[in-house]
Amino acid sequence: MAQVPQTFLDALAVRTWCGLALRALGRVREEIDAINVYPVADGDTGTNLYLTAESAATAVEAVFAGYEQGADGPSLADALRAMAHGALIGARGNSGTILAQLLRGMAQVLAAPEAGDTPHTDGTGLRLALRRAADAAREAVAHPVEGTVLTVASAAADAADGAEGDCGRVAVAAYEGARAALAATPGQLAVLGRAGVVDAGGRGLVTVLAALVEALTGKAVPEEPHTGPTEPVACADAPEHTEEGGPAYEVIYLLEADDAAVARLRERLDTLGDSLVVVGGDGLWNVHVHVDDAGAAVEAGIEAGRPYRIRITHFAAGDVHTGGQRPPRERAQRAVVAVVPGEGLAGLYAEAGATTVLARPGEPPASGELAQALRRAHAREVVLLPNDAELRHTAAAAAEQARAEGVRVALIPTRSAVQGIAALAVHEPERRFDEDVVQMTSAAGATRYAEVLVAERQSWTTAGICQAGDVLGLIDGDVAVIGRDLTGTAETVLDRMLQAGGELVTLVVGDEAPETVADRLEARVRESYLAVDTVVYRGGRQGSLLLIGVE
């Protein structure tokens, strides 16, 4: 019996759409990565879209799993809100961030309170949702450029506006409109025309819309290459949007902040870099920007609210910003990936050329997140610094996954961010890989590490019983000092560490530590230990009040 087309959009259709889109993006991921030349030719648009869709699909599945067997399933609004939220918190890169806003725009219409708890929507509702999606995505981009995914989304909405009938007919019209607009992108954006490709983000959106058609009608649209012409296209009237030698870093983070603070953040980030996209709302936002000063972009987020899940990527030397001539899939020879405990250290590591993964207290990164960071580093050889003894197995699993994908990975078992700083300080990409790893491992191993924090509850420790609120000084992972005062405890810890000698003290001060603690410790080193230097960094919200390294 022939399958009856599904002509309305309900929660089950949303679930089906997410699954189909994820599988389709998985099939074309490498193709889309290969045509990624705008805004940065870093070859990851397909991967970013896939990871964003994966997060959306996971959120929808979780909603369905929350209903007992035999009970009524989630409503259309439940499924759409989950899809949009999942995409928002999992958005990767410029393209993924825009896809998240497209899905949020649809949810704003179909899951709005005034829409009620209806089980499904019709063609009119889908038309309105696609229009709002295109408008919301354009509003989220600081400086919209034609010939990109924004153009493709607008064309899809325009075509849907002219369609009559049920959801299936509207989705087909949107798909055809997007497909035609995608084919025209090389003539709208000069960098695409020179490369002889269509826009990678737009290509991904066409794939997502094709999945929507199949979810609604039960009929798959033919998959065919959308990479555009194989020869460069003459673009006499197309804008250049060329910025060779553009910003060095991509900064992405989730942000808890109110609307007024985000408006100020947009203005601040717009002065720092380009490719600014801020999506979300209702107190939760996803921020994406390309900058030269990664630390300043993170600090701007701290001023606006609470940033977390911070990802900072240093564009490899072969990456090209909007208009370069290098092949888009060119990999750097070597890169460093590091797990860091605070925003300040994320900026410090990124400025030293590392790709960072932020580990907030109670939120250690999973092996999949580390594996993705190894991919984002986009290098043939990668040095991985976990900077936490508890992450050794997670890091090893990520390293094995990257090795299976053809990347040479060396895992240096750093147990603290200060050991990572020491390793990064001697990193020389021009050295042979093995020699570089040996030197970095030696520097990390020669660095004793300590942290000072506040006990959350009564507990037995290697230094005795501590009470909630006591200040704990841990040296090389074990509690060595229990005190009442942060500065006094830190001085005792530092003295014990320097009894075995040392030439350099590194202090990483957390946001919750008193402003005077670094000055007191610097003065103590200067007065009591000759020929020992001190360097101080601001770690941000790093969990520990203070990190100490002695090498």
Side-chain angles (χ1 to χ4, degrees):
M1 181 180 295
Q3 184 176 6
V4 177
Q6 187 172 0
T7 58
F8 53 86
L9 183 68
D10 61 5
L12 183 59
V14 171
R15 183 187 198 183
T16 303
W17 178 25
C18 286
L20 290 171
L22 183 61
R23 289 192 288 275
L25 287 170
R27 290 192 296 270
V28 299
R29 177 180 63 82
E30 291 186 358
E31 173 198 326
I32 296 176
D33 281 347
I35 64 171
N36 172 201
V37 298
Y38 183 87
V40 179
D42 51 355
D44 63 358
T45 291
T47 298
N48 287 336
L49 287 168
Y50 176 84
L51 291 171
T52 304
E54 182 180 46
S55 184
T58 299
V60 172
E61 289 300 321
V63 167
F64 272 86
Y67 285 79
E68 297 179 2
Q69 281 191 335
D72 292 337
S75 66
L76 172 62
D78 290 335
L80 285 168
R81 279 194 289 264
M83 176 181 67
H85 181 74
L88 175 67
I89 64 174
R92 303 297 181 95
N94 188 74
S95 55
T97 308
I98 292 174
L99 175 61
Q101 190 71 347
L102 288 166
L103 298 180
R104 177 178 171 80
M106 293 186 68
Q108 285 177 326
V109 172
L110 300 178
E114 54 268 26
D117 205 20
T118 57
H120 61 262
T121 191
D122 57 13
T124 299
L126 183 57
R127 282 196 295 273
L128 293 173
L130 291 170
R131 170 53 61 195
R132 177 58 194 148
D135 292 344
R138 193 168 286 269
E139 291 164 5
V141 178
H143 301 285
V145 173
E146 298 306 326
T148 66
V149 63
L150 299 178
T151 305
V152 176
S154 294
D158 291 343
D161 284 342
E164 297 292 337
D166 56 29
C167 284
R169 292 178 182 274
V170 171
V172 169
Y175 166 74
E176 293 295 347
R179 193 163 173 267
L182 177 67
T185 56
Q188 295 175 292
L189 197 56
V191 62
L192 301 178
R194 286 196 300 269
V197 298
V198 297
D199 179 68
R203 168 70 174 97
L205 178 57
V206 168
T207 299
V208 171
L209 289 172
L212 178 61
V213 171
E214 184 174 356
L216 292 170
T217 68
K219 298 177 182 178
V221 297
E223 285 193 21
E224 53 184 279
H226 289 266
T227 54
T230 57
E231 296 295 330
V233 174
C235 307
D237 300 322
E240 286 288 334
H241 294 287
T242 300
E243 190 177 332
E244 297 191 30
Y249 303 99
E250 178 185 60
V251 179
I252 307 173
Y253 49 79
L254 292 178
L255 177 69
E256 293 177 358
D258 59 36
D259 291 1
V262 170
R264 292 191 296 271
L265 176 65
R266 289 178 191 269
E267 294 179 1
R268 172 66 177 141
L269 293 179
D270 197 26
T271 66
L272 291 177
D274 60 29
S275 296
L276 173 60
V277 185
V278 181
V279 305
D282 301 321
L284 180 62
W285 310 81
N286 191 307
V287 179
H288 170 281
V289 67
H290 295 171
V291 293
D292 279 321
D293 190 343
V298 174
E299 288 297 328
I302 294 172
E303 292 174 7
R306 175 181 175 262
Y308 61 104
R309 292 195 185 179
I310 299 171
R311 294 188 296 273
I312 300 176
T313 303
H314 180 253
F315 291 123
D319 293 339
V320 183
H321 287 256
T322 59
Q325 302 298 321
R326 299 275 301 277
R329 293 300 294 163
E330 183 70 21
R331 289 183 177 270
Q333 181 60 33
R334 190 173 308 160
V336 176
V337 171
V339 180
V340 293
E343 298 90 346
L345 282 179
L348 172 68
Y349 271 75
E351 287 168 7
T355 294
T356 62
V357 178
L358 189 70
R360 298 197 64 83
E363 299 179 14
S367 61
E369 188 172 357
L370 294 185
Q372 175 56 17
L374 292 170
R375 296 186 191 100
R376 285 192 290 119
H378 205 57
R380 299 181 182 90
E381 303 167 340
V382 181
V383 179
L384 177 58
L385 306 175
N387 291 340
D388 186 340
E390 298 297 323
L391 287 176
R392 60 187 183 277
H393 297 306
T394 301
E400 282 303 315
Q401 186 173 342
R403 291 180 187 122
E405 297 172 4
V407 180
R408 189 179 184 188
V409 181
L411 172 59
I412 297 179
T414 49
R415 294 171 290 174
S416 170
V418 291
Q419 288 189 324
I421 291 172
L424 201 55
V426 300
H427 169 54
E428 290 186 12
E430 303 306 318
R431 269 196 302 237
R432 289 179 53 248
F433 186 62
D434 291 340
E435 292 177 359
D436 198 28
V437 171
V438 167
Q439 291 299 318
M440 294 177 73
T441 303
S442 177
T447 302
R448 299 190 69 197
Y449 65 96
E451 62 178 322
V452 181
L453 47 79
V454 176
E456 296 181 355
R457 59 186 178 275
Q458 184 185 60
S459 179
W460 286 91
T461 76
T462 52
I465 299 176
C466 71
Q467 305 296 328
D470 283 347
V471 179
L472 307 181
L474 287 75
I475 299 177
D476 294 335
D478 295 321
V479 176
V481 181
I482 301 175
R484 299 290 183 183
D485 170 71
L486 170 61
T487 302
T489 303
E491 287 179 337
T492 302
V493 168
L494 186 55
D495 287 339
R496 292 194 185 184
M497 296 178 76
L498 287 172
Q499 283 175 1
E503 299 176 354
L504 176 65
V505 172
T506 300
L507 304 175
V508 183
V509 185
D511 276 353
E512 297 181 5
E515 291 289 336
T516 58
V517 65
D519 293 337
R520 286 282 298 275
L521 294 177
E522 281 189 285
R524 188 173 188 84
V525 171
R526 188 168 54 250
E527 295 166 2
S528 304
Y529 302 95
L530 299 177
V532 177
D533 296 322
T534 305
V535 60
V536 179
Y537 300 111
R538 299 292 169 181
R541 302 173 191 179
Q542 62 184 21
S544 301
L545 296 172
L546 180 68
L547 299 176
I548 303 174
V550 174
E551 53 185 298

